[in-house]
Amino acid sequence: PHLGAGGSPSLPIHPLPSASPVPFPEHIRYLPRLSSATLAGKLTQSTFTLDQPLGQFNHLNISDSDPIWLVVAHSNAIRNFTVPRQTEDIPAPSDFPQRGYYLTLRANRKLYSSVQGSNQLPVLRVGNDTRCSPTKTGCNRPLPGSGPYRVKFLVMSKKGPVAETEWSKETRLQQAQVLQAVPGPQSAGTVVIIAILSVLLAILLAALLILLIHTCCQSCRNVLISSPEEPLSMGRYSTHHMGNPSAVGGS
C-alpha cells in the first residue's frame, strides 16, 4: 500500500466510469423535396406537400418498428437542432416558437416501402391537421407563417436516434396578396375615363331627381281629384204659371 501524508496508508484511486457515448445517427443520402405530382394546393399559406421517401430506409440497423419522424424547422434554426435522445424529448408544435423546430408525421419503414398500391398517391402534406392539439407530440398543425422552412427525416428507436436524411432546400409558403394603389400621376386615358364616369353619374342623379319631383306632383294631383266634393243644395223650382193660384181662378 502507498503511504500518504504522515505515513498512513492511502487508498487506491480508481477513475470514474465515463458515460456511454450516445450513438450518432447514420446519415442517409436522401434530400426531401416538394412533390413532383400535379396537385391542387400543393403549396398553400399554411401547408406544403412532399414526396414520400420510398425505399430510403432499407438498412440493416433500422427495424420495421422504429418510428420515422419528419423534422420541420425554420431555415435559421437547423444549426440549433438537437437530436432527441428519447421519446420524451421529442418537441411538439407548441415548442416551435421557442426551439424553431418540431417533429411530426410519425411513420415506419413499411409505410415508406417502394412497393405501394396504384391507387395511393405517395405524398406527405405537412400542416394538414387543424384538429389536433399543438401540445401533442406528432401533431401536424398548420404552419404559422410563410417560412422559409427546411425538413428532414429522422429514424428513432427505444435506444435513441438511428438514422437521418439530409436537410431539404428552403420552402416558402404562399402569401396573401394585398392590393395597393399605384403611386404616381394618373395617365391621360385614366383621367378621361374618370371625367366621363363623373358626367354620367351627374346625369343619372339629375334624372333621378326629376323623376322624384314628377312622381310627387302626380301624387298631389291625384289626391285633389279624388277628394269628396261638397253636396250641392238643390232648391225646388216652380214656374209662375203653375204656382200662382190667382192666375188659375181668373182663367
Side-chain angles (χ1 to χ4, degrees):
H2 297 281
L3 297 179
S8 59
S10 61
L11 298 176
I13 300 176
H14 299 284
L16 295 175
S18 59
S20 59
V22 178
F24 193 79
E26 179 186 356
H27 180 71
I28 300 176
R29 298 182 60 84
Y30 174 76
L31 187 70
R33 59 184 180 271
L34 290 177
S35 175
S36 57
T38 303
L39 298 173
K42 181 168 59 176
L43 195 67
T44 68
Q45 296 181 16
S46 60
T47 65
F48 62 90
T49 306
L50 299 171
D51 281 334
Q52 290 188 9
L54 301 181
Q56 298 297 326
F57 304 102
N58 298 326
H59 299 271
L60 295 178
N61 59 340
I62 300 178
S63 65
D64 293 340
S65 60
D66 290 339
I68 303 175
W69 297 90
L70 179 71
V71 183
V72 181
H74 287 297
S75 293
N76 57 0
I78 61 174
R79 296 180 180 178
N80 302 326
F81 174 70
T82 303
V83 179
R85 300 305 176 186
Q86 51 188 357
T87 306
E88 291 75 12
D89 299 332
I90 294 178
S94 58
D95 301 318
F96 194 35
Q98 180 180 3
R99 296 192 182 186
Y101 58 87
Y102 65 97
L103 275 63
T104 185
L105 291 176
R106 175 177 174 171
N108 55 54
R109 187 166 64 175
K110 289 184 177 181
L111 294 177
Y112 292 149
S113 172
S114 57
V115 180
Q116 290 192 345
S118 58
N119 58 343
Q120 295 180 355
L121 192 62
V123 296
L124 297 174
R125 191 178 293 274
V126 182
N128 196 39
D129 193 351
T130 58
R131 296 175 296 178
C132 65
S133 172
T135 59
K136 180 182 178 181
T137 302
C139 175
N140 189 25
R141 292 282 296 178
L143 298 168
S146 60
Y149 300 99
R150 298 178 70 177
V151 298
K152 73 174 180 180
F153 292 94
L154 176 66
V155 185
M156 298 282 294
S157 69
K158 295 180 179 180
K159 298 180 180 180
V162 177
E164 63 181 356
T165 66
E166 300 176 6
W167 285 103
S168 68
K169 296 181 179 179
E170 289 187 348
T171 299
R172 293 182 180 273
L173 303 183
Q174 294 182 354
Q175 297 182 2
Q177 300 293 330
V178 179
L179 299 178
Q180 296 181 352
V182 179
Q186 303 292 338
S187 62
T190 304
V191 174
V192 172
I193 293 175
I194 294 176
I196 293 175
L197 292 177
S198 300
V199 172
L200 292 177
L201 181 60
I203 294 175
L204 179 61
L205 292 176
L208 291 176
L209 182 60
I210 294 174
L211 180 62
L212 180 61
I213 296 175
H214 177 72
T215 304
C216 292
C217 293
Q218 288 294 109
S219 300
C220 295
R221 183 177 302 175
N222 291 337
V223 170
L224 292 177
I225 292 176
S226 61
S227 60
E229 296 180 353
E230 295 181 359
L232 298 176
S233 56
M234 299 293 292
R236 184 175 181 180
Y237 176 76
S238 299
T239 59
H240 179 74
H241 176 74
M242 295 181 63
N244 191 351
S246 59
V248 175
S251 58

